[in-house]
Amino acid sequence: MHSPEHRIATSVLVIGTGGAGLRAAIELAERGVDVLAVGKRPKADAHTSLAAGGINAALATMDPQDSWQQHAADTLKESYLLADPRTVRIVTQGAARGIEDLQRWGMPFAREQDGRISQRFFGAHTYRRTAFAGDYTGLEIQRTLINRAAQLEVPVLDSVYITRILVRDNVVFGAYGFDLTDGSRYVIHADAVILAAGGHTRIWRRTSSRRDENTGDSFRLAVLAGCRIRDAELVQFHPSGLIAPENAAGTLVSEAARGEGGILRNRLGERFMSQYDPKRMELSTRDRVSLAAYTEIKEGRGTPNGGVWLDVSHLPRETIMTRLPRVYQTLLELQMLDITKEPIEIAPTAHYSMGGVWVRPEDHSTDVDGLYAIGEAASGLHGANRLGGNSLIELLVFGRIVGQAAAEYSAALDAQRRSAEALDLARAEVDDLLTADGPENVRSLQRSLRDIMTEYAGVVRDEGGLRKGLAELAAVRARIADVGVHPDLAGFQDLAHAFDLKSAALAAQATIETALERRETRGCHNRSDYPKLDPALRVNLVWSGPGSVEREAIPPIPGEIKALMREVSTTGKLVE
């Protein structure tokens, strides 16, 4: 019954072929280190390609007074003081270098007439520091990285699903997985492993992720290897996700739609932001707009399908066609809706995991020797609210740093010690699922899990709901033991969904348990039973398995940065 096993050895294995994984692989290849990048999705269609807004760096091309220190201050302030000041310094200081790398590899940034890189306002930034390429910045970055990786002949395995990171005595020695098309297995031996497999936002019913990405793979792979998860409860809900059609629920409507003058109304036609943020109205921060929309829907003033209206139809047609072309196109394709004439029905959607695997700020190493985590899989930069545009720059800065760290770690290793036992365990796990013929359906269990997270751990949470969520989650977890997995001619998607489900269950547990522990309202985390911010909870919550949540102190903010932290006006700016 055993499928054939491919055995591969490499110095460094990168799991994930989005922006973070590719940037790390490029760094390794440029240093002449043997590297292999593995992704479960085609690399050209990684989640990074969906990022629309832009990428931050204090280049000061538009506002000469901008500095990395001010970028750091804005990031820390927006994080509600939960970001690690060391991580923030590394990213903001290294940002200009990240942009230079992209330019060198041919990234087509929007430019001013004199050739400088154009930068625009985005969210709670003091100055214009978001570089962009139309409203498809992420797609261009991903293309640029794919091209550079191809020039360097970086081997990339698409459609391989990693099920386990292989560890012996807390030292990594590779990973195990299977091919999504033919089911053949992969044993990949590596000195170091870089985990860049995204976040866990797909465990909610409405999300800006596609159905087979961000299911919490990183969380599960890391925890089984011996790592911990930090800030799992801190999830950014984007205010404007589509409700219909069902198969595209959560698809983002760019915040440029509000930035250009879009108006939010409830079912009664009321412009409700005046109740929540009369000064900034629709240009308020993501967490506030999401909370406002959620409250309107919850209190019965939502649209027929449980959303709110976002209306741009009063804007000149030309503005819509030139400034919001992607939004216009998307709505026409998905709903046959002409946004120049009709309002769009939207609701908050799970968008970004601000927490992730526990890593050290300086090199993103984890609790396991030789294992690193980067991108949305890692934690430390965003705290309780991510500054728009910071995720893309994080990929470039830490992709480079971690590539270098993994190269040095591999070079210093005098031997790679393996464990037949760890490998047998990984193999048996796949075998057991492949022969599983239980009555439970993987997809319906996934749906139940998403319903639990949406109902009890969504935009607003409280103790009673979270406890109920934990109880219902335990019931779903018990049923996972009885799933039936049936690969067919189309491939081994069913097996992948079963692993996605295991990952989602672990990520859900971590999220609910840390949300219970954070008895306050801060940034994206709203507790209706604890509506105020609690200064004593200015800590990160670190989860190391069911029932185990510890508080971790956050280092002090350096004086030069602290002096620059102030309220930022968002008047006339694009929000996040």
PDB file of all heavy atoms in Angstrom, residues 376-400:
ATOM      1  N   GLU A 376       3.992  35.494   7.773  1.00  0.00           N
ATOM      2  CA  GLU A 376       2.785  35.425   8.596  1.00  0.00           C
ATOM      3  C   GLU A 376       2.834  34.247   9.569  1.00  0.00           C
ATOM      4  O   GLU A 376       2.074  34.192  10.528  1.00  0.00           O
ATOM      5  CB  GLU A 376       1.536  35.332   7.700  1.00  0.00           C
ATOM      6  CG  GLU A 376       0.267  35.780   8.400  1.00  0.00           C
ATOM      7  CD  GLU A 376      -0.948  35.861   7.495  1.00  0.00           C
ATOM      8  OE1 GLU A 376      -0.801  35.815   6.250  1.00  0.00           O
ATOM      9  OE2 GLU A 376      -2.058  35.988   8.031  1.00  0.00           O
ATOM     10  N   ALA A 377       3.752  33.314   9.340  1.00  0.00           N
ATOM     11  CA  ALA A 377       3.912  32.181  10.256  1.00  0.00           C
ATOM     12  C   ALA A 377       4.575  32.613  11.563  1.00  0.00           C
ATOM     13  O   ALA A 377       4.485  31.922  12.575  1.00  0.00           O
ATOM     14  CB  ALA A 377       4.749  31.089   9.588  1.00  0.00           C
ATOM     15  N   ALA A 378       5.288  33.732  11.551  1.00  0.00           N
ATOM     16  CA  ALA A 378       6.056  34.173  12.729  1.00  0.00           C
ATOM     17  C   ALA A 378       5.285  35.244  13.500  1.00  0.00           C
ATOM     18  O   ALA A 378       4.231  35.708  13.082  1.00  0.00           O
ATOM     19  CB  ALA A 378       7.411  34.703  12.284  1.00  0.00           C
ATOM     20  N   SER A 379       5.827  35.656  14.649  1.00  0.00           N
ATOM     21  CA  SER A 379       5.170  36.667  15.472  1.00  0.00           C
ATOM     22  C   SER A 379       6.193  37.704  15.928  1.00  0.00           C
ATOM     23  O   SER A 379       7.390  37.477  15.833  1.00  0.00           O
ATOM     24  CB  SER A 379       4.550  36.000  16.704  1.00  0.00           C
ATOM     25  OG  SER A 379       5.573  35.354  17.458  1.00  0.00           O
ATOM     26  N   GLY A 380       5.704  38.833  16.439  1.00  0.00           N
ATOM     27  CA  GLY A 380       6.617  39.815  17.023  1.00  0.00           C
ATOM     28  C   GLY A 380       6.516  41.218  16.463  1.00  0.00           C
ATOM     29  O   GLY A 380       6.793  42.190  17.152  1.00  0.00           O
ATOM     30  N   LEU A 381       6.087  41.344  15.193  1.00  0.00           N
ATOM     31  CA  LEU A 381       6.110  42.677  14.570  1.00  0.00           C
ATOM     32  C   LEU A 381       4.810  43.463  14.745  1.00  0.00           C
ATOM     33  O   LEU A 381       4.830  44.676  14.884  1.00  0.00           O
ATOM     34  CB  LEU A 381       6.431  42.552  13.074  1.00  0.00           C
ATOM     35  CG  LEU A 381       6.426  43.870  12.273  1.00  0.00           C
ATOM     36  CD1 LEU A 381       7.507  44.826  12.761  1.00  0.00           C
ATOM     37  CD2 LEU A 381       6.596  43.613  10.775  1.00  0.00           C
ATOM     38  N   HIS A 382       3.671  42.767  14.735  1.00  0.00           N
ATOM     39  CA  HIS A 382       2.413  43.496  14.550  1.00  0.00           C
ATOM     40  C   HIS A 382       1.605  43.763  15.817  1.00  0.00           C
ATOM     41  O   HIS A 382       0.738  44.628  15.806  1.00  0.00           O
ATOM     42  CB  HIS A 382       1.533  42.760  13.544  1.00  0.00           C
ATOM     43  CG  HIS A 382       2.227  42.460  12.259  1.00  0.00           C
ATOM     44  ND1 HIS A 382       2.632  43.454  11.401  1.00  0.00           N
ATOM     45  CD2 HIS A 382       2.630  41.284  11.704  1.00  0.00           C
ATOM     46  CE1 HIS A 382       3.241  42.886  10.352  1.00  0.00           C
ATOM     47  NE2 HIS A 382       3.253  41.588  10.522  1.00  0.00           N
ATOM     48  N   GLY A 383       1.845  43.008  16.886  1.00  0.00           N
ATOM     49  CA  GLY A 383       1.081  43.226  18.109  1.00  0.00           C
ATOM     50  C   GLY A 383      -0.405  43.072  17.882  1.00  0.00           C
ATOM     51  O   GLY A 383      -0.847  42.144  17.215  1.00  0.00           O
ATOM     52  N   ALA A 384      -1.202  44.020  18.414  1.00  0.00           N
ATOM     53  CA  ALA A 384      -2.662  43.890  18.364  1.00  0.00           C
ATOM     54  C   ALA A 384      -3.294  44.602  17.173  1.00  0.00           C
ATOM     55  O   ALA A 384      -4.509  44.601  17.032  1.00  0.00           O
ATOM     56  CB  ALA A 384      -3.273  44.405  19.661  1.00  0.00           C
ATOM     57  N   ASN A 385      -2.503  45.224  16.323  1.00  0.00           N
ATOM     58  CA  ASN A 385      -3.050  45.784  15.079  1.00  0.00           C
ATOM     59  C   ASN A 385      -1.899  46.044  14.120  1.00  0.00           C
ATOM     60  O   ASN A 385      -0.984  46.785  14.434  1.00  0.00           O
ATOM     61  CB  ASN A 385      -3.830  47.081  15.329  1.00  0.00           C
ATOM     62  CG  ASN A 385      -4.857  47.354  14.237  1.00  0.00           C
ATOM     63  OD1 ASN A 385      -5.404  46.422  13.647  1.00  0.00           O
ATOM     64  ND2 ASN A 385      -5.114  48.607  13.950  1.00  0.00           N
ATOM     65  N   ARG A 386      -1.961  45.408  12.959  1.00  0.00           N
ATOM     66  CA  ARG A 386      -0.875  45.536  11.990  1.00  0.00           C
ATOM     67  C   ARG A 386      -1.015  46.844  11.221  1.00  0.00           C
ATOM     68  O   ARG A 386      -2.100  47.191  10.768  1.00  0.00           O
ATOM     69  CB  ARG A 386      -0.920  44.356  11.021  1.00  0.00           C
ATOM     70  CG  ARG A 386       0.058  44.450   9.877  1.00  0.00           C
ATOM     71  CD  ARG A 386       0.037  43.159   9.077  1.00  0.00           C
ATOM     72  NE  ARG A 386      -1.192  42.977   8.321  1.00  0.00           N
ATOM     73  CZ  ARG A 386      -1.417  43.483   7.117  1.00  0.00           C
ATOM     74  NH1 ARG A 386      -0.513  44.244   6.534  1.00  0.00           N
ATOM     75  NH2 ARG A 386      -2.545  43.243   6.485  1.00  0.00           N
ATOM     76  N   LEU A 387       0.085  47.512  11.059  1.00  0.00           N
ATOM     77  CA  LEU A 387       0.117  48.715  10.239  1.00  0.00           C
ATOM     78  C   LEU A 387       0.104  48.264   8.778  1.00  0.00           C
ATOM     79  O   LEU A 387       0.965  47.492   8.352  1.00  0.00           O
ATOM     80  CB  LEU A 387       1.414  49.468  10.549  1.00  0.00           C
ATOM     81  CG  LEU A 387       1.536  50.946  10.220  1.00  0.00           C
ATOM     82  CD1 LEU A 387       0.422  51.745  10.840  1.00  0.00           C
ATOM     83  CD2 LEU A 387       2.872  51.470  10.709  1.00  0.00           C
ATOM     84  N   GLY A 388      -0.907  48.725   7.997  1.00  0.00           N
ATOM     85  CA  GLY A 388      -1.008  48.316   6.602  1.00  0.00           C
ATOM     86  C   GLY A 388       0.300  48.540   5.858  1.00  0.00           C
ATOM     87  O   GLY A 388       0.945  49.560   6.040  1.00  0.00           O
ATOM     88  N   GLY A 389       0.711  47.569   5.033  1.00  0.00           N
ATOM     89  CA  GLY A 389       1.951  47.722   4.269  1.00  0.00           C
ATOM     90  C   GLY A 389       3.175  47.157   4.976  1.00  0.00           C
ATOM     91  O   GLY A 389       4.236  47.016   4.379  1.00  0.00           O
ATOM     92  N   ASN A 390       3.026  46.808   6.263  1.00  0.00           N
ATOM     93  CA  ASN A 390       4.183  46.280   6.989  1.00  0.00           C
ATOM     94  C   ASN A 390       4.439  44.797   6.721  1.00  0.00           C
ATOM     95  O   ASN A 390       5.553  44.318   6.881  1.00  0.00           O
ATOM     96  CB  ASN A 390       4.011  46.474   8.507  1.00  0.00           C
ATOM     97  CG  ASN A 390       4.654  47.768   8.998  1.00  0.00           C
ATOM     98  OD1 ASN A 390       5.253  48.520   8.225  1.00  0.00           O
ATOM     99  ND2 ASN A 390       4.535  48.030  10.286  1.00  0.00           N
ATOM    100  N   SER A 391       3.397  44.058   6.320  1.00  0.00           N
ATOM    101  CA  SER A 391       3.610  42.613   6.144  1.00  0.00           C
ATOM    102  C   SER A 391       4.534  42.331   4.962  1.00  0.00           C
ATOM    103  O   SER A 391       5.391  41.452   5.035  1.00  0.00           O
ATOM    104  CB  SER A 391       2.283  41.883   5.970  1.00  0.00           C
ATOM    105  OG  SER A 391       1.501  42.538   4.999  1.00  0.00           O
ATOM    106  N   LEU A 392       4.371  43.094   3.875  1.00  0.00           N
ATOM    107  CA  LEU A 392       5.207  42.824   2.698  1.00  0.00           C
ATOM    108  C   LEU A 392       6.680  43.163   2.956  1.00  0.00           C
ATOM    109  O   LEU A 392       7.576  42.469   2.492  1.00  0.00           O
ATOM    110  CB  LEU A 392       4.684  43.591   1.478  1.00  0.00           C
ATOM    111  CG  LEU A 392       3.366  43.074   0.888  1.00  0.00           C
ATOM    112  CD1 LEU A 392       2.865  43.991  -0.231  1.00  0.00           C
ATOM    113  CD2 LEU A 392       3.492  41.647   0.369  1.00  0.00           C
ATOM    114  N   ILE A 393       6.935  44.225   3.718  1.00  0.00           N
ATOM    115  CA  ILE A 393       8.340  44.578   3.973  1.00  0.00           C
ATOM    116  C   ILE A 393       8.962  43.580   4.945  1.00  0.00           C
ATOM    117  O   ILE A 393      10.143  43.241   4.861  1.00  0.00           O
ATOM    118  CB  ILE A 393       8.510  46.046   4.455  1.00  0.00           C
ATOM    119  CG1 ILE A 393       9.981  46.476   4.335  1.00  0.00           C
ATOM    120  CG2 ILE A 393       8.017  46.259   5.852  1.00  0.00           C
ATOM    121  CD1 ILE A 393      10.531  46.522   2.918  1.00  0.00           C
ATOM    122  N   GLU A 394       8.137  43.063   5.861  1.00  0.00           N
ATOM    123  CA  GLU A 394       8.630  42.059   6.818  1.00  0.00           C
ATOM    124  C   GLU A 394       9.198  40.836   6.094  1.00  0.00           C
ATOM    125  O   GLU A 394      10.232  40.287   6.468  1.00  0.00           O
ATOM    126  CB  GLU A 394       7.479  41.642   7.747  1.00  0.00           C
ATOM    127  CG  GLU A 394       7.878  40.584   8.764  1.00  0.00           C
ATOM    128  CD  GLU A 394       6.687  40.037   9.535  1.00  0.00           C
ATOM    129  OE1 GLU A 394       5.525  40.228   9.119  1.00  0.00           O
ATOM    130  OE2 GLU A 394       6.925  39.399  10.575  1.00  0.00           O
ATOM    131  N   LEU A 395       8.527  40.412   5.024  1.00  0.00           N
ATOM    132  CA  LEU A 395       8.976  39.239   4.255  1.00  0.00           C
ATOM    133  C   LEU A 395      10.390  39.441   3.737  1.00  0.00           C
ATOM    134  O   LEU A 395      11.227  38.537   3.762  1.00  0.00           O
ATOM    135  CB  LEU A 395       8.080  39.007   3.027  1.00  0.00           C
ATOM    136  CG  LEU A 395       6.573  38.994   3.209  1.00  0.00           C
ATOM    137  CD1 LEU A 395       5.891  38.736   1.884  1.00  0.00           C
ATOM    138  CD2 LEU A 395       6.179  37.951   4.220  1.00  0.00           C
ATOM    139  N   LEU A 396      10.631  40.650   3.219  1.00  0.00           N
ATOM    140  CA  LEU A 396      11.922  40.919   2.585  1.00  0.00           C
ATOM    141  C   LEU A 396      13.036  41.054   3.606  1.00  0.00           C
ATOM    142  O   LEU A 396      14.127  40.528   3.427  1.00  0.00           O
ATOM    143  CB  LEU A 396      11.814  42.195   1.738  1.00  0.00           C
ATOM    144  CG  LEU A 396      10.909  41.969   0.526  1.00  0.00           C
ATOM    145  CD1 LEU A 396      10.370  43.271   0.004  1.00  0.00           C
ATOM    146  CD2 LEU A 396      11.648  41.208  -0.558  1.00  0.00           C
ATOM    147  N   VAL A 397      12.743  41.759   4.695  1.00  0.00           N
ATOM    148  CA  VAL A 397      13.783  41.984   5.704  1.00  0.00           C
ATOM    149  C   VAL A 397      14.159  40.675   6.390  1.00  0.00           C
ATOM    150  O   VAL A 397      15.332  40.304   6.455  1.00  0.00           O
ATOM    151  CB  VAL A 397      13.324  43.029   6.749  1.00  0.00           C
ATOM    152  CG1 VAL A 397      14.354  43.156   7.864  1.00  0.00           C
ATOM    153  CG2 VAL A 397      13.109  44.384   6.074  1.00  0.00           C
ATOM    154  N   PHE A 398      13.137  39.951   6.887  1.00  0.00           N
ATOM    155  CA  PHE A 398      13.478  38.726   7.613  1.00  0.00           C
ATOM    156  C   PHE A 398      13.803  37.560   6.686  1.00  0.00           C
ATOM    157  O   PHE A 398      14.532  36.648   7.070  1.00  0.00           O
ATOM    158  CB  PHE A 398      12.400  38.377   8.638  1.00  0.00           C
ATOM    159  CG  PHE A 398      12.615  39.074   9.954  1.00  0.00           C
ATOM    160  CD1 PHE A 398      11.749  40.055  10.395  1.00  0.00           C
ATOM    161  CD2 PHE A 398      13.724  38.771  10.737  1.00  0.00           C
ATOM    162  CE1 PHE A 398      11.966  40.724  11.604  1.00  0.00           C
ATOM    163  CE2 PHE A 398      13.959  39.429  11.943  1.00  0.00           C
ATOM    164  CZ  PHE A 398      13.081  40.394  12.372  1.00  0.00           C
ATOM    165  N   GLY A 399      13.292  37.594   5.438  1.00  0.00           N
ATOM    166  CA  GLY A 399      13.702  36.562   4.475  1.00  0.00           C
ATOM    167  C   GLY A 399      15.215  36.590   4.315  1.00  0.00           C
ATOM    168  O   GLY A 399      15.888  35.555   4.334  1.00  0.00           O
ATOM    169  N   ARG A 400      15.760  37.802   4.192  1.00  0.00           N
ATOM    170  CA  ARG A 400      17.209  37.957   4.025  1.00  0.00           C
ATOM    171  C   ARG A 400      17.961  37.536   5.293  1.00  0.00           C
ATOM    172  O   ARG A 400      18.920  36.760   5.237  1.00  0.00           O
ATOM    173  CB  ARG A 400      17.518  39.435   3.698  1.00  0.00           C
ATOM    174  CG  ARG A 400      18.980  39.752   3.491  1.00  0.00           C
ATOM    175  CD  ARG A 400      19.162  41.172   2.971  1.00  0.00           C
ATOM    176  NE  ARG A 400      18.696  42.186   3.896  1.00  0.00           N
ATOM    177  CZ  ARG A 400      19.382  42.601   4.963  1.00  0.00           C
ATOM    178  NH1 ARG A 400      20.556  42.079   5.245  1.00  0.00           N
ATOM    179  NH2 ARG A 400      18.885  43.531   5.751  1.00  0.00           N
TER     180      ARG A 400
END
